[in-house]
Amino acid sequence: MIHSLFLVNASGDIFLEKHWKSVVSRSVCDYFFEAQERATEPENVPPVIPTPHHYLISVLRHRIYFVAVIQSEVPPLFVIEFLHRVVDTFQDYFGVCTEAAIKDNVVVVYELLEEMLDNGFPLATESNILKELIKPPTILRTMVNTITGSTNVGEQLPTGQLSVVPWRRTGVKYTNNEAYFDVVEEIDAIIDKSGSTITAEIQGVIDACVKLTGMPDLTLSFMNPRLLDDVSFHPCVRFKRWEAERILSFIPPDGNFRLLSYHVSSQNLVAIPVYVKHNITFREGSSQGRFDLTLGPKQTMGKAVESVLVSSQLPRGVLNTNLNPSQGTYTFDPVTKLLTWDVGKINPQKLPSLKGSMSLQAGASKPDENPTINIQFKIQQMAISGLKVNRLDMYGEKYKPFKGIKYMTKAGKFQVRT
């Protein structure tokens, strides 16, 4: 299935490669580099690139492209999911998934890739199993390995590998038994000039951190499970129970894992949490333009909108800006023409605004179109779709665990047209 894997950094250099079946020349990545040059943004590189003899399937995570080389047709989502699992494993092992972290732990990286893929087919992709096979690197273990010449590879086959629940190891014991669930929703929206919603959708995930003794059996129910479309589950979830009762029933992996991801695409279900009042004008024949922007919260159920960052790509004819923010700070790069305003937290009693003038090239014609405004924000303790966890129950063990649910909404690609 997967013949080779190439890791490409932001500057276009291949800094790591791994081959499973046969060595594929690096020159196959030239097709990828051509597609990268044509793309306007790094994330706009096509995920599947056909070449005369191969298919290149890639994902972009943490400013690194993970490029898999396939020789025969396979379901692309299968490969994409595996690549995301590789990134998540690196992050779990090294804390971060950066070029420096991968280079510093290159031996462990090759050991992990060897276990995760066997002759090109996925084998062990669960973090619990991998941690028993290959011990995560620590400073002490690295020093011992350097002195003794030993490796991080475990001596025994993982206990969970041959069980009916391969994602959970046996004999798990904790002094404090706790289960935390984070409901994180990302809203993508395009708002037109008049403030009407052109398109809006929500991508949501439920991430879990479960540290429970023994072999607990959990059920998680929602107040309004019918909201969820296009749901993707962790293998531990019993799908038939979800189909019949809309209840999540599962034996959880030990530690951190993604329980499910979902999609809400019905326009009437997607609330827009911020509004923008804007007045950006350029007059024909004038060397001055007007910039007037005000932000405010909307449909946030009283929750604060935080970490607000506004950015806008101004027209090429803009030489400089003279703006006055009512709160936060703004920067304008005269070379790239990128305006960035770090707003911070929105106070509903005193709405933040950015007002002033723009200097234009003398004699330049009026720009063809007004700039678009991109907004990033976070809202703690709120799921914008209205999704709410009803209750979490545990069976199979006698102790009472500590349980916690946290909600967060953040902006994905949130764009306002002016």
Side-chain angles (χ1 to χ4, degrees):
M1 196 187 88
I2 298 176
H3 271 67
S4 302
L5 176 68
F6 295 96
L7 269 57
V8 181
N9 61 18
S11 55
D13 299 322
I14 299 169
F15 67 92
L16 187 135
E17 60 184 276
K18 168 74 177 144
H19 307 280
W20 282 276
K21 292 191 172 183
S22 56
V23 177
V24 177
S25 170
R26 283 188 173 199
S27 61
V28 75
C29 290
D30 292 346
Y31 296 97
F32 175 79
F33 295 137
E34 286 171 16
Q36 194 181 8
E37 282 176 18
R38 287 195 296 269
T40 51
E41 297 285 332
E43 58 267 25
N44 290 347
V45 175
V48 181
I49 301 168
T51 74
H53 302 290
H54 304 89
Y55 292 97
L56 304 182
I57 300 178
S58 64
V59 298
L60 173 64
R61 293 275 298 271
H62 309 290
R63 301 181 70 227
I64 298 172
Y65 290 99
F66 290 75
V67 185
V69 180
I70 318 294
Q71 277 196 339
S72 56
E73 279 201 31
V74 294
L77 288 176
F78 190 68
V79 181
I80 287 168
E81 177 59 32
F82 173 77
L83 293 176
H84 281 299
R85 195 67 67 90
V86 168
V87 180
D88 294 340
T89 303
F90 289 172
Q91 206 162 357
D92 195 18
Y93 264 73
F94 314 133
V96 291
C97 182
T98 60
E99 184 181 350
I102 291 169
K103 284 180 175 176
D104 289 345
N105 299 282
V106 71
V107 174
V108 179
V109 166
Y110 277 110
E111 288 170 349
L112 283 170
L113 291 173
E114 199 62 56
E115 293 297 339
M116 292 182 80
L117 220 62
D118 182 32
N119 198 33
F121 290 88
L123 178 65
T125 58
E126 281 299 329
S127 182
N128 285 305
I129 290 170
L130 286 167
K131 281 181 178 172
E132 285 190 69
L133 281 167
I134 298 155
K135 301 287 186 286
T138 60
I139 294 171
L140 180 62
R141 195 172 285 139
T142 306
M143 286 173 63
V144 171
N145 290 351
T146 306
I147 295 164
T148 62
S150 55
T151 69
N152 288 16
V153 178
E155 294 176 4
Q156 292 175 306
L157 188 70
T159 50
Q161 181 82 49
L162 304 174
S163 74
V164 290
V165 281
W167 52 84
R168 188 173 182 85
R169 59 194 173 93
T170 55
V172 182
K173 286 185 180 177
Y174 286 103
T175 314
N176 298 321
N177 292 289
E178 48 198 21
Y180 300 106
F181 293 88
D182 291 348
V183 181
V184 182
E185 294 190 339
E186 203 170 83
I187 179 168
D188 299 328
I190 298 175
I191 314 297
D192 73 4
K193 195 173 182 178
S194 61
S196 304
T197 305
I198 297 172
T199 175
E201 58 182 29
I202 295 167
Q203 314 284 347
V205 297
I206 299 181
D207 287 327
C209 177
V210 177
K211 296 183 178 178
L212 299 174
T213 302
M215 195 67 75
D217 201 325
L218 304 181
T219 61
L220 188 73
S221 60
F222 301 99
M223 297 269 200
N224 39 9
R226 302 284 165 192
L227 282 173
L228 307 180
D229 302 328
D230 195 15
V231 187
S232 170
F233 298 106
H234 187 278
C236 69
V237 176
R238 298 180 179 102
F239 186 59
K240 285 192 175 176
R241 179 96 187 262
W242 169 261
E243 277 193 314
E245 304 173 47
R246 283 291 190 264
I247 288 175
L248 292 175
S249 172
F250 58 98
I251 295 173
D254 181 40
N256 298 304
F257 65 100
R258 178 154 293 175
L259 182 62
L260 79 135
S261 55
Y262 60 90
H263 186 77
V264 179
S265 55
S266 305
Q267 292 275 343
N268 53 348
L269 291 176
V270 180
I272 303 298
V274 295
Y275 69 86
V276 181
K277 288 181 180 174
H278 50 81
N279 181 21
I280 301 172
T281 53
F282 303 96
R283 284 196 297 275
E284 192 69 59
S286 172
S287 62
Q288 291 287 316
R290 185 78 198 149
F291 192 97
D292 192 336
L293 200 68
T294 304
L295 297 173
K298 183 173 79 167
Q299 297 173 304
T300 61
M301 294 186 282
K303 306 293 183 187
V305 183
E306 304 170 332
S307 306
V308 180
L309 184 71
V310 179
S311 62
S312 182
Q313 188 71 47
L314 297 183
R316 288 182 182 176
V318 177
L319 295 175
N320 216 330
T321 58
N322 182 20
L323 306 176
N324 182 30
S326 65
Q327 79 172 66
T329 56
Y330 90 94
T331 57
F332 175 70
D333 188 332
V335 178
T336 60
K337 313 297 182 189
L338 183 67
L339 173 72
T340 308
W341 177 26
D342 190 348
V343 181
K345 187 175 177 180
I346 295 180
N347 180 2
Q349 274 72 47
K350 190 185 176 189
L351 298 178
S353 63
L354 182 66
K355 299 179 180 179
S357 60
M358 298 175 284
S359 305
L360 307 175
Q361 285 179 359
S365 59
K366 181 182 170 184
D368 295 335
E369 54 187 34
N370 271 12
T372 55
I373 296 162
N374 297 299
I375 305 174
Q376 295 173 23
F377 57 81
K378 286 182 184 173
I379 306 171
Q380 301 288 351
Q381 294 306 323
M382 180 182 130
I384 197 73
S385 67
L387 183 72
K388 272 197 168 60
V389 172
N390 182 22
R391 59 182 296 164
L392 174 68
D393 297 308
M394 186 183 79
Y395 306 95
E397 299 289 341
K398 291 179 180 174
Y399 57 84
K400 279 195 172 179
F402 180 80
K403 298 175 279 192
I405 310 281
K406 194 170 78 176
Y407 300 90
M408 187 175 80
T409 297
K410 59 183 182 179
K413 286 192 173 181
F414 194 94
Q415 193 179 83
V416 180
R417 293 175 178 172
T418 62

